[in-house]
Amino acid sequence: MVSRMTRKAAVERKTSETQIRVEIDLDGSGKHRCNTPLPFLNHMLDQLGRHGMFDLIVEAKGDVEIDGHHTTEDVAITIGQAVAQALGNRAGIRRYGSATLPMDEACVTCALDLSGRPYFVWKVPLAKAKLGEFDSELCEVFFEGFARGVGANLHMHLVAGHVLHHIIEICFKAFARALREAVELDPRSSSVPSTKGTLV
């Protein structure tokens, strides 16, 4: 079986635009500390830790005086890389995860395959607006960046909703629950869940 003691990672990403450090424990208890220059993004990352039951630390600086795109994208890529590192060869995991969750009038479905192959489908139409300093279009940027960083097939679909804050927040909560399921160790298997014998 895969040892739970190995399912931790720390990853740093430094560019001319951002400086990011992520620590994650896939078998944590939901403890989280997320500090970026975008308060709404911090709030969304808190959802990832709490509802994914990951111990998650994110420390990020970025050129938000330009806009929040570089910081949001690089945080997502780095979290994805940290998850990939924590998973190792992905032996023994369930691989697939999905969740359909409501939040008041909003409802979103997230489906995830930790296949090692990045592919992203976004069917969540959002009005262009700001939530604090966070542009609504950065929600899509985040999930696409994560899919690339970890190597995953990620689909996100809006079922219902019109309140922008609710839609974006339930995207993150559904994603957290789908990821929690996908990384979970399957007690019936210790092999890589692929007929190819590899997911990386």
Side-chain angles (χ1 to χ4, degrees), residues 30-51:
K31 294 181 292 184
H32 54 275
R33 186 179 77 245
C34 301
N35 296 313
T36 81
L38 298 167
F40 187 79
L41 179 59
N42 295 340
H43 181 45
M44 295 302 100
L45 296 176
D46 289 345
Q47 308 307 320
L48 179 56
R50 184 177 303 277
H51 294 282

Side-chain angles (χ1 to χ4, degrees), residues 86-142:
L87 287 172
N89 69 358
R90 310 191 187 196
I93 64 168
R94 295 193 184 278
R95 176 179 166 176
Y96 295 97
S98 65
T100 299
L101 298 183
M103 183 175 180
D104 296 341
E105 91 300 339
C107 183
V108 163
T109 293
C110 176
L112 178 69
D113 174 13
L114 294 172
S115 62
R117 301 182 307 278
Y119 197 91
F120 178 60
V121 175
W122 178 255
K123 299 289 186 180
V124 184
L126 295 173
K128 287 194 174 184
K130 279 188 175 289
L131 296 94
E133 296 302 310
F134 188 85
D135 295 308
S136 60
E137 63 201 50
L138 296 180
C139 186
E140 179 179 0
V141 168
F142 179 89

Side-chain angles (χ1 to χ4, degrees), residues 1-176:
M1 295 298 292
V2 177
S3 171
R4 291 185 182 272
M5 297 301 292
T6 65
R7 291 171 34 105
K8 300 178 182 181
V11 175
E12 292 189 9
R13 179 181 176 89
K14 293 184 179 181
T15 73
S16 61
E17 300 165 339
T18 61
Q19 296 181 17
I20 297 161
R21 178 175 174 82
V22 171
E23 297 180 26
I24 195 164
D25 179 353
L26 299 180
D27 302 301
S29 59
K31 294 181 292 184
H32 54 275
R33 186 179 77 245
C34 301
N35 296 313
T36 81
L38 298 167
F40 187 79
L41 179 59
N42 295 340
H43 181 45
M44 295 302 100
L45 296 176
D46 289 345
Q47 308 307 320
L48 179 56
R50 184 177 303 277
H51 294 282
M53 292 299 289
F54 310 123
D55 289 349
L56 178 65
I57 296 173
V58 178
E59 297 288 345
K61 296 179 181 179
D63 56 357
V64 292
E65 69 279 4
I66 297 173
D67 72 10
H69 188 285
H70 298 148
T71 300
T72 301
E73 182 177 43
D74 283 5
V75 164
I77 290 169
T78 309
I79 292 174
Q81 290 172 338
V83 171
Q85 183 175 306
L87 287 172
N89 69 358
R90 310 191 187 196
I93 64 168
R94 295 193 184 278
R95 176 179 166 176
Y96 295 97
S98 65
T100 299
L101 298 183
M103 183 175 180
D104 296 341
E105 91 300 339
C107 183
V108 163
T109 293
C110 176
L112 178 69
D113 174 13
L114 294 172
S115 62
R117 301 182 307 278
Y119 197 91
F120 178 60
V121 175
W122 178 255
K123 299 289 186 180
V124 184
L126 295 173
K128 287 194 174 184
K130 279 188 175 289
L131 296 94
E133 296 302 310
F134 188 85
D135 295 308
S136 60
E137 63 201 50
L138 296 180
C139 186
E140 179 179 0
V141 168
F142 179 89
F143 292 114
E144 193 273 336
F146 176 86
R148 281 192 286 124
V150 75
N153 187 189
L154 175 60
H155 287 238
M156 195 80 74
H157 292 256
L158 178 66
V159 178
H162 59 268
V163 177
L164 201 57
H165 187 129
H166 293 170
I167 294 170
I168 293 176
E169 184 164 336
I170 204 59
C171 281
F172 276 85
K173 289 178 176 177
F175 168 68

